[in-house]
Amino acid sequence: MALGILVISYVAISVITIIGLALMYLLKNDRAKAGVFYFLSIWGMGISVFTAMSLPTNWIAQQLIAWAFGILGAAGLIVHLKSSSASGRMAAYLLVTVSVIGGVLKMFIL
C-alpha cells in the first residue's frame, strides 16, 4: 500500500515538473509565463524542504545539498524580480530549472 502511494506521488511530482517546465519555456504570453515561473520557483523550494526534512538528522551533507537546490530557486526568484532585461530573466529561468530538476532527482534518485 505504501509503495503504491509513493509511486503515485513520484508520477504526480514528475508530471507537474515536466509540464511546468515545458510551459515556462514554450508560453508566449508574458503574464502566464511569469505565473508559471513563480509557481515553479515555489515548487522547487517546496521540494527541497520536503527532501531535506525527510532525511535523517545525521546526514548533514545530503541535507545541505537538498537545501542548496531550494536556495537556487530563491535566487532565481530574486533575479527575476530585480532584472528587466531578457538575459536576466533567462538566467532566472535557468536557475529555477536547475532547482526543480535537481530537487526532484535528489528526492527520488540520488
Side-chain angles (χ1 to χ4, degrees):
M1 177 75 177
L3 288 178
I5 294 171
L6 185 63
V7 168
I8 290 171
S9 67
Y10 173 71
V11 170
I13 288 172
S14 298
V15 167
I16 290 170
T17 299
I18 291 169
I19 289 174
L21 288 172
L23 285 175
M24 186 173 71
Y25 286 108
L26 297 177
L27 283 176
K28 301 293 183 193
N29 186 357
D30 288 335
R31 188 171 172 102
K33 190 179 234 185
V36 171
F37 171 79
Y38 293 138
F39 169 75
L40 282 177
S41 64
I42 294 170
W43 181 253
M45 289 184 273
I47 286 175
S48 73
V49 168
F50 289 141
T51 303
M53 295 303 222
S54 68
L55 292 169
T57 57
N58 60 345
W59 290 16
I60 304 298
Q62 297 296 320
Q63 287 180 352
L64 290 175
I65 292 169
W67 286 114
F69 286 124
I71 291 170
L72 281 177
L77 187 63
I78 291 169
V79 168
H80 189 269
L81 291 173
K82 295 292 182 184
S83 72
S84 59
S85 66
S87 62
R89 294 194 187 246
M90 182 54 74
Y93 294 157
L94 291 175
L95 282 171
V96 168
T97 300
V98 170
S99 169
V100 171
I101 291 175
V104 170
L105 288 176
K106 179 73 183 132
M107 180 184 276
F108 290 111
I109 295 173
L110 301 176

